[in-house]
Amino acid sequence: GEAVRRYADEWTVSIRDVTPLAHEIHALVNGGDLDPATRLLPQERPYPSGDELLAHLRG
């Protein structure tokens, strides 16, 4: 319904094929070159969450 329409038309802003990057990272890992492989990975950021959400998740 509405969520599907919004996901397809509003929330998805771009799609990028990362297959070549995944192959490059895989080859580096297989070759034991972990530092260069790590540098190619996308930077992760913590999801902003308040204490209320964390308390609910912790039970």
Side-chain angles (χ1 to χ4, degrees):
E2 178 68 13
V4 172
R5 185 197 66 73
R6 293 182 103 190
Y7 181 82
D9 297 337
E10 296 175 27
W11 300 335
T12 302
V13 295
S14 68
I15 297 174
R16 183 172 62 126
D17 182 4
V18 296
T19 304
L21 176 61
H23 287 290
E24 183 178 357
I25 292 169
H26 183 254
L28 288 167
V29 169
N30 279 345
D33 297 323
L34 299 183
D35 287 335
T38 300
R39 286 192 292 274
L40 292 174
L41 293 171
Q43 201 169 31
E44 294 187 45
R45 297 173 302 196
Y47 185 82
S49 59
D51 292 334
E52 189 175 306
L53 174 63
L54 293 176
H56 174 73
L57 292 174
R58 291 181 181 136

